[in-house]
């Protein structure tokens, strides 16, 4: 029995389903959350540069230097691919079906 409004319990169950590649069960858990009005706060990453803290969430476009940040990520991703790097998609908690770009704009990489 999950606590009715505790997003953490739902997210944990959803992640367990994802790690087992049980995508339909993961979707059911997320639908249950939506049906009960349970919201998960998005994860975020922080970086401090010149005594200023910058905060990022996945696919964030609110930073004043968004264009430069995304261009640098694209440049680095291309450079890594040319060097033979391929990301470990096995640890992704989403059914990406080879969509590596989704992982490219994770908040940790944006930071």
């Amino acid at each position: 029995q999950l606590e009715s409004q505790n997003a953490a319990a739902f997210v944990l169950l959803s992640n367990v389903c994802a790690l087992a590649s049980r995508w339909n069960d993961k979707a059911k858990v997320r639908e249950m959350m939506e049906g009960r009005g349970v919201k998960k706060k998005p994860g975020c990453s922080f970086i401090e540069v010149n005594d200023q803290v910058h905060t990022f969430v996945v696919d964030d476009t609110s930073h004043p230097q968004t264009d430069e940040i995304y261009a640098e990520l694209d440049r680095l991703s291309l450079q890594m691919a040319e060097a033979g790097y391929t990301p470990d998609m096995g640890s992704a908690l989403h059914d990406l079906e080879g969509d590596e770009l989704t992982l490219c704009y994770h908040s940790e990489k944006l930071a």
Side-chain angles (χ1 to χ4, degrees), residues 16-94:
V16 168
C17 291
L19 288 171
S21 297
R22 294 175 57 173
W23 305 114
N24 288 337
D25 291 334
K26 177 186 166 133
K28 288 178 189 175
V29 172
R30 292 300 183 146
E31 288 170 10
M32 231 189 312
M33 287 176 69
E34 188 175 319
R36 295 180 184 191
V38 177
K39 303 270 188 214
K40 175 197 172 293
K41 291 182 182 178
C44 61
S45 298
F46 304 90
I47 186 170
E48 183 177 341
V49 178
N50 298 327
D51 296 323
Q52 184 177 5
V53 176
H54 302 269
T55 306
F56 297 90
V57 296
V58 69
D59 293 326
D60 197 348
T61 59
S62 64
H63 193 278
Q65 293 176 293
T66 292
D67 292 339
E68 295 92 337
I69 292 168
Y70 277 79
E72 182 65 8
L73 270 178
D74 290 343
R75 187 190 70 75
L76 290 171
S77 295
L78 179 60
Q79 187 176 357
M80 290 186 304
E82 289 171 350
Y85 172 78
T86 55
D88 176 11
M89 303 295 278
S91 61
L93 296 177
H94 304 280

